[in-house]
C-alpha cells in the first residue's frame, strides 16, 4: 500500500479525486440496492417498464460519457465538466426524494442521473491527466488505489443505509443520502480540486463528437472492448446467480447473502492494493488474465456449491478475482486512447454497458437451458473466452 500512497495523497488532484470518488460511490451504494424496491413497489412501475428504464439509462450514460469526455479533452481541463455533471446528481436524487412519483422517477433515472454518472469517467480522466509522466506501472497502481475508494464505500454504505431505514415506511430517504453525497462531491471539486488552465496538449483533442463516437466503435478498439466486456460480464453473472444459489442449491438464507456480499467487498479493497503492487512487475494484460482465471474458477465452483460453507469458502477466491476485474481494466481501457484521457476514460462506461448486456443475454440463455448453478458455469465459460481473446490480441505485447 505504501507504494502508491504518496502519489494518491500527496498530489492534490489525485487526493481530491479519490475523496470525490468515495462520495460518488456513496451515492450509488446508498440507492442502487434499493432502487428497484422504490421504483416497483413504492412507486408502482411494472417489471417490464423498470427493466426498459434501466437499459435505456445505461445507454444514455454511455453516450453522455463519450460526449462529455471528448468535450473535456477539447477544453483541456476536467474540473468545469465535473462541476456541471455533479449538479445533475444533486438535482436528480433530490427531485426523487422531494417529489416521489412515477414521472419524476423516470425522468431522473433516464436523464439526470446518467448525466451525473459521467462523473465517474471524468474523475478517472482527471487522475490520468494528473499522473501524466509517471511510469506505466505507477499509473496502474494509482488507478487501483483510486478505484478502491468506490469499493470502500460499498463496504460501508449499503449496510448503514439499511440499518438506518430498517423501520422506515419508505426507502426514499436513501435518495436524500445520495443527494447529500452529491453535494459533498460538488464541494470537494469546487473548493479543493486545483484549478486547471485549458490547453491543447492532447493530440487530436479537437475531434468532433461524431468522430469521437466513431473512434470508440473502430474495429481496433471495439474488439478489445468485447474481450473486456466478456470478462467483466462474469461480475454481473455472479451478482445475479449468487443470491439464487445461496438460497437455493446451497440451502442458505437471505442473511447469508448480505454477509457474503460484505465479506467480498471488504476483501476487494485489500486485493485491489495487492493487484496494484503486482502490476509493478507484470503487464496489465498478464495481471488481468491471472485475475480472470481466478474469478472464472470461483464462478465455476459456485455452480457446484451445495451447502452455505461452500460459498463462504469461495469468498477469498471471489474477492481476489473481483478486485482484479474491477481495477485493472481501468488502465487498459485508458491506454486504448492514451492521448485523450477524457475519451479513453469514457470507455469505462462503454464497458459497463456492454458487459451488462452480455450478462443479461447469458443469464437468459443459461436459465433457459439449465439451472442457476449451470448458469454460473456458463458465465465462467464466457469469461474464459474473453480472457483468451485478450491474450490473442495483446498477450504478446511487452511492458512499456
Amino acid at each position: 500500500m505504501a507504494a502508491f500512497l504518496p502519489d494518491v495523497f500527496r498530489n492534490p488532484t489525485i487526493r481530491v479525486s479519490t475523496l470525490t470518488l468515495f462520495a460518488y460511490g456513496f451515492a450509488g451504494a446508498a440507492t442502487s440496492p434499493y432502487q428497484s424496491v422504490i421504483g416497483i413497489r413504492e412507486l408502482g412501475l411494472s417489471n417490464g417498464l423498470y427493466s426498459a428504464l434501466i437499459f435505456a439509462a445505461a445507454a444514455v450514460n454511455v453516450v453522455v460519457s463519450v460526449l462529455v469526455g471528448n468535450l473535456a479533452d477539447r477544453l483541456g481541463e476536467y474540473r468545469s465538466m465535473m462541476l456541471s455533471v455533479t449538479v445533475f446528481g444533486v438535482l436528480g436524487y433530490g427531485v426523487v426524494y422531494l417529489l416521489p412519483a412515477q414521472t419524476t422517477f423516470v425522468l431522473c433515472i433516464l436523464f439526470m442521473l446518467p448525466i451525473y454518472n459521467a462523473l465517474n469517467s471524468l474523475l478517472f480522466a482527471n487522475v490520468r491527466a494528473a499522473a501524466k509522466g509517471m511510469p506505466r506501472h505507477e499509473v496502474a497502481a494509482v488507478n487501483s488505489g483510486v478505484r478502491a475508494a468506490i469499493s470502500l464505500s460499498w463496504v460501508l454504505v449499503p449496510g448503514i443505509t439499511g440499518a438506518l431505514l430498517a423501520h422506515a415506511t419508505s426507502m426514499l430517504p436513501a435518495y436524500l443520502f445520495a443527494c447529500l453525497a452529491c453535494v459533498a462531491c460538488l464541494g470537494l471539486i469546487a473548493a479543493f480540486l486545483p484549478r486547471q488552465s485549458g490547453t491543447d496538449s492532447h493530440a487530436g483533442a479537437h475531434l468532433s463528437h461524431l468522430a469521437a463516437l466513431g473512434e470508440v466503435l473502430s474495429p481496433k478498439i471495439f474488439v478489445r472492448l468485447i474481450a473486456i466486456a466478456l470478462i467483466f460480464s462474469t461480475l454481473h453473472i455472479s451478482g445475479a446467480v449468487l443470491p439464487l444459489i445461496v438460497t437455493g442449491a446451497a440451502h442458505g438464507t437471505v442473511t447469508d447473502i448480505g454477509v457474503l456480499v460484505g465479506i467480498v467487498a471488504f476483501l476487494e479493497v485489500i486485493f485491489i492494493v495487492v493487484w496494484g503492487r503486482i502490476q509493478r512487475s507484470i503487464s496489465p494484460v498478464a495481471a488481468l488474465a491471472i485475475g480472470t482465471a481466478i474469478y472464472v474458477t470461483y464462478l465455476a465452483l459456485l455452480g457446484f456449491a451445495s451447502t452455505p460453507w461452500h460459498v463462504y469458502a469461495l469468498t477469498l477466491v471471489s474477492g481476489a478475482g473481483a478486485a482484479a476485474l474491477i481495477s485493472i481494466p481501468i488502465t487498459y481501457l485508458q491506454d486504448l486512447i492514451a492521448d485523450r484521457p477524457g475519451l479513453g476514460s469514457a470507455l469505462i462506461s462503454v464497458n459497463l454497458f456492454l458487459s451488462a448486456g452480455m450478462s443479461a443475454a447469458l443469464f437468459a440463455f443459461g436459465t433457459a437451458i439449465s439451472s442457476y448453478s449451470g448458469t454460473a458455469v456458463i458465465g465462467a465459460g464466457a469469461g474464459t473466452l474473453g480472457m483468451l481473446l485478450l491474450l490473442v490480441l495483446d498477450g504478446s505485447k511487452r511492458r512499456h
Side-chain angles (χ1 to χ4, degrees):
M1 193 170 191
F4 67 80
L5 278 177
D7 291 327
V8 172
F9 293 106
R10 292 179 187 172
N11 183 306
T13 297
I14 297 177
R15 179 174 65 248
V16 175
S17 296
T18 303
L19 294 174
T20 306
L21 269 168
F22 178 82
Y24 169 85
F26 187 111
T31 54
S32 293
Y34 312 108
Q35 182 171 277
S36 59
V37 174
I38 293 170
I40 295 173
R41 293 184 180 173
E42 296 192 21
L43 300 180
L45 297 179
S46 67
N47 292 331
L49 178 57
Y50 180 79
S51 298
L53 177 64
I54 297 306
F55 177 81
V60 171
N61 176 245
V62 168
V63 175
V64 170
S65 295
V66 172
L67 297 181
V68 168
N70 185 56
L71 180 57
D73 286 336
R74 293 171 67 176
L75 294 173
E77 60 95 17
Y78 305 94
R79 185 176 180 275
S80 60
M81 295 306 302
M82 286 191 284
L83 287 171
S84 299
V85 299
T86 303
V87 171
F88 283 90
V90 175
L91 295 175
Y93 286 118
V95 168
V96 171
Y97 173 69
L98 294 173
L99 302 171
Q102 289 187 4
T103 302
T104 54
F105 183 82
V106 169
L107 289 176
C108 290
I109 297 298
L110 184 58
F111 295 111
M112 301 185 81
L113 294 182
I115 294 174
Y116 159 69
N117 284 327
L119 178 63
N120 180 48
S121 57
L122 285 171
L123 283 166
F124 279 108
N126 196 48
V127 170
R128 179 63 179 241
K132 185 178 180 180
M134 291 183 185
R136 186 174 178 179
H137 67 271
E138 289 187 14
V139 174
V142 168
N143 275 335
S144 295
V146 171
R147 178 57 182 79
I150 298 179
S151 292
L152 183 59
S153 68
W154 275 84
V155 173
L156 302 172
V157 177
I160 294 173
T161 302
L164 290 174
L165 302 180
H167 302 292
T169 58
S170 171
M171 297 302 294
L172 279 168
Y175 278 75
L176 173 61
F177 302 157
C179 179
L180 295 175
C182 290
V183 172
C185 288
L186 199 62
L188 285 166
I189 296 169
F192 300 106
L193 190 68
R195 292 183 178 274
Q196 303 160 321
S197 57
T199 67
D200 288 332
S201 59
H202 304 302
H206 289 295
L207 275 181
S208 69
H209 292 312
L210 187 60
L213 288 169
E215 182 162 2
V216 170
L217 296 175
S218 65
K220 177 182 177 181
I221 291 177
F222 196 70
V223 68
R224 287 168 170 79
L225 283 172
I226 294 296
I228 297 297
L230 280 168
I231 292 171
F232 209 81
S233 70
T234 57
L235 293 169
H236 296 291
I237 289 291
S238 176
V241 301
L242 176 64
L244 299 169
I245 291 175
V246 168
T247 55
H251 308 291
T253 66
V254 175
T255 302
D256 288 316
I257 297 172
V259 174
L260 286 164
V261 170
I263 292 173
V264 172
F266 175 73
L267 290 172
E268 283 175 3
V269 176
I270 297 174
F271 279 109
I272 283 174
V273 176
V274 174
W275 285 109
R277 295 291 297 268
I278 289 174
Q279 289 180 84
R280 297 178 67 88
S281 56
I282 63 176
S283 71
V285 172
L288 183 55
I290 296 171
T292 303
I294 294 172
Y295 200 74
V296 298
T297 299
Y298 146 74
L299 200 55
L301 291 175
L302 180 63
F304 294 94
S306 58
T307 65
W309 76 263
H310 289 165
V311 188
Y312 279 97
L314 290 172
T315 54
L316 187 64
V317 183
S318 174
L325 269 56
I326 64 178
S327 62
I328 298 174
I330 294 171
T331 303
Y332 176 84
L333 292 170
Q334 289 176 326
D335 284 343
L336 294 180
I337 312 179
D339 56 343
R340 289 187 290 280
L343 189 57
S345 297
L347 297 180
I348 299 169
S349 296
V350 178
N351 172 58
L352 289 172
F353 176 73
L354 291 175
S355 60
M358 289 179 179
S359 66
L362 288 168
F363 183 81
F365 173 73
T367 53
I369 66 169
S370 183
S371 62
Y372 297 128
S373 297
T375 302
V377 176
I378 291 172
T384 302
L385 178 62
M387 177 184 69
L388 294 175
L389 178 58
L390 183 68
L391 290 174
V392 169
L393 292 170
D394 294 326
S396 61
K397 290 183 178 180
R398 295 181 179 180
R399 285 180 69 242
H400 297 293

